[in-house]
Amino acid sequence: PGAVGAGVPLYIDFLVGGITRQQQLVADRLRWLDEEGSHLAGTKFTEITETKQLSVLHPLCDAADAGKSKARNVQFFALIKNLTADGYYTSRIGLIQELGYTGDTVLSSFPECVHEH
């Protein structure tokens, strides 16, 4: 299961709901996303095609990954991206099912990272 199955939307709602500054940023940027959807297709962001959604989100992702932009849209994207990863990998689905974490286990060695570069 993905982020929704892992309960990430509820996790994000819970965390953002407790911090006024984040509430304001998220609410403002969600309105901005709907305006972008309206400009692209005359409807809310959640109702435009995935291709059009990605055309809005990819530049935000690139800017967030570069870490050089102070734009509110980029801050919003980075916040949601980080909260999504945190929520997923601290859930049972992400931590145990995907990563295979078994808890208090003694390891005789630590396997090397196998990510491709």
Side-chain angles (χ1 to χ4, degrees):
V4 173
V8 172
L10 292 173
Y11 172 82
I12 292 172
D13 284 347
F14 174 75
L15 289 181
V16 170
I19 303 171
T20 303
R21 183 171 172 228
Q22 285 185 351
Q23 289 173 13
Q24 293 167 344
L25 173 66
V26 169
D28 181 50
R29 296 301 89 190
L30 289 174
R31 281 189 293 276
W32 174 81
L33 280 175
D34 278 343
E35 290 169 8
E36 288 298 300
S38 182
H39 286 77
L40 290 171
T43 188
K44 295 189 302 187
F45 183 80
T46 56
E47 296 174 359
I48 62 176
T49 66
E50 181 178 345
T51 301
K52 289 181 181 178
Q53 288 177 342
L54 292 174
S55 74
V56 173
L57 297 176
H58 276 158
L60 295 175
C61 184
D62 292 343
D65 288 347
K68 296 181 180 178
S69 177
K70 299 285 185 195
R72 288 178 62 82
N73 298 344
V74 176
Q75 290 177 342
F76 163 73
F77 186 87
L79 171 67
I80 298 302
K81 182 178 179 182
N82 289 335
L83 289 176
T84 299
D86 291 348
Y88 183 76
Y89 286 109
T90 57
S91 74
R92 177 173 290 282
I93 289 171
L95 186 62
I96 296 172
Q97 290 180 7
E98 183 173 334
L99 296 179
Y101 178 74
T102 56
D104 296 330
T105 304
V106 175
L107 301 177
S108 60
S109 66
F110 292 91
E112 191 174 311
C113 180
V114 293
H115 293 179
E116 294 180 25
H117 298 284

